[in-house]
């Protein structure tokens, strides 16, 4: 079972406020070359260093490098570097992120860790869609006897509305009614083929919208 909680705090502050709570893990995305030259990765590089030791682990795209920190309270913090692309200037794929999350799940299980702190993995400058990533998190960490709380740090926009993925195979227009107040309905379509998608056209007609 996985519980995903959105937080308005940033990752580094959340680590500091959680530091006395026992063993926990932190994860963020990096490139295989371990450049970590922008965004949150810079903070990890400056605070925890040991870039050479991370490179020595020879982790390829789809794998994870790890670092164990013992803080002043004798608490262990595991930092996992999710290698989702080869070079820092590239963009990750959802497939490479999925591979790293599977390995992360196995690591957390082996270490009996039930608390994970992350940013919105692969989103923002890396360009992945958070709704797709959050669904990937749930499917990867759900099932079995694993119980995990994931704190997702997003100080810019931490309120995520309730949402439901619409079924593209649904033939009746009633599928547009979400059934729960305040629920955002997500219709996943390939935008380049939107004009040929009958379900999308029904959606536009139902809400009296136009495609531009």
């Amino acid at each position: 079972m996985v519980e995903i909680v959105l937080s308005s705090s940033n990752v580094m502050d959340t680590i500091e406020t959680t530091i006395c709570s026992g063993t926990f893990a932190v994860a963020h995305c990096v490139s295989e070359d371990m450049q970590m030259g922008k965004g949150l990765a810079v903070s990890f590089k400056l605070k925890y260093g040991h870039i050479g030791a991370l490179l020595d682990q020879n982790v390829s795209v789809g794998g994870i490098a790890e670092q164990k920190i013992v803080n002043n309270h004798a608490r262990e913090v595991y930092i996992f570097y999710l290698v989702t692309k080869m070079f820092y200037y590239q963009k990750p794929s959802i497939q490479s992120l999925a591979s790293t999350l599977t390995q992360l799940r196995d690591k957390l299980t082996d270490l009996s860790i039930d608390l994970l702190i992350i940013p919105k993995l692969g989103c923002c400058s890396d360009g992945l869609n958070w709704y797709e990533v959050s669904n990937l998190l749930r499917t990867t960490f759900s099932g079995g006897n694993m119980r995990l709380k994931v704190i997702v740090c997003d100080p810019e926009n931490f309120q995520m509305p309730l949402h439901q993925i619409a079924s593209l195979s649904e033939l009746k227009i009633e599928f547009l009614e979400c059934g729960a107040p305040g629920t955002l309905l997500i219709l996943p379509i390939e935008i380049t083929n939107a004009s040929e998608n009958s379900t999308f056209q029904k959606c536009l007609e139902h809400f009296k919208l136009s495609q531009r």
Side-chain angles (χ1 to χ4, degrees), residues 137-148:
L137 285 167
R138 292 186 187 280
T139 56
T140 302
F141 292 109
S142 294
N145 297 321
M146 184 179 191
R147 298 184 65 87
L148 180 68

Side-chain angles (χ1 to χ4, degrees), residues 8-26:
S8 59
S9 298
N10 63 50
V11 171
M12 305 310 287
D13 286 346
T14 304
I15 292 173
E16 291 303 315
T17 56
T18 313
I19 212 75
C20 298
S21 301
T23 301
F24 63 94
V26 186

Side-chain angles (χ1 to χ4, degrees), residues 18-205:
T18 313
I19 212 75
C20 298
S21 301
T23 301
F24 63 94
V26 186
H28 68 111
C29 295
V30 297
S31 53
E32 189 176 315
D33 57 15
M34 292 291 172
Q35 287 293 308
M36 292 190 277
K38 63 179 181 179
L40 176 64
V42 176
S43 300
F44 278 90
K45 181 166 69 172
L46 294 176
K47 186 174 181 63
Y48 301 111
H50 298 289
I51 305 303
L54 292 171
L55 286 168
D56 287 344
Q57 295 180 41
N58 295 315
V59 179
S60 301
V61 174
I64 58 175
E66 63 180 276
Q67 186 177 32
K68 184 171 75 171
I69 307 297
V70 179
N71 60 46
N72 295 332
H73 303 278
R75 303 290 192 183
E76 293 180 335
V77 179
Y78 288 85
I79 304 174
F80 294 102
Y81 298 77
L82 312 182
V83 181
T84 56
K85 55 189 178 181
M86 184 172 292
F87 301 109
Y88 71 93
Y89 52 81
Q90 295 176 326
K91 299 293 184 184
S93 67
I94 196 69
Q95 290 79 16
S96 64
L97 179 60
S99 177
T100 65
L101 289 179
T102 298
Q103 294 188 47
L104 178 61
R105 177 198 62 201
D106 295 342
K107 288 280 188 180
L108 297 178
T109 301
D110 291 343
L111 294 167
S112 298
I113 292 176
D114 59 7
L115 176 61
L116 174 66
I117 298 171
I118 60 171
K120 283 186 172 179
L121 298 172
C123 302
C124 300
S125 61
D126 272 344
L128 294 182
N129 182 284
W130 168 242
Y131 291 103
E132 190 173 4
V133 172
S134 63
N135 185 58
L136 180 61
L137 285 167
R138 292 186 187 280
T139 56
T140 302
F141 292 109
S142 294
N145 297 321
M146 184 179 191
R147 298 184 65 87
L148 180 68
K149 180 178 181 180
V150 181
I151 299 177
V152 182
C153 300
D154 182 23
E156 297 299 323
N157 181 28
F158 73 98
Q159 294 293 341
M160 183 174 71
L162 294 174
H163 63 280
Q164 174 182 330
I165 304 295
S167 171
L168 290 181
S169 62
E170 177 60 65
L171 299 178
K172 297 180 180 179
I173 200 67
E174 283 78 14
F175 87 99
L176 293 167
E177 304 302 330
C178 298
T183 300
L184 176 67
L185 183 71
I186 300 174
L187 182 65
I189 64 166
E190 173 56 56
I191 194 65
T192 56
N193 298 323
S195 61
E196 303 171 7
N197 188 301
S198 61
T199 307
F200 181 57
Q201 294 303 318
K202 284 183 180 180
C203 184
L204 292 179
E205 293 170 5

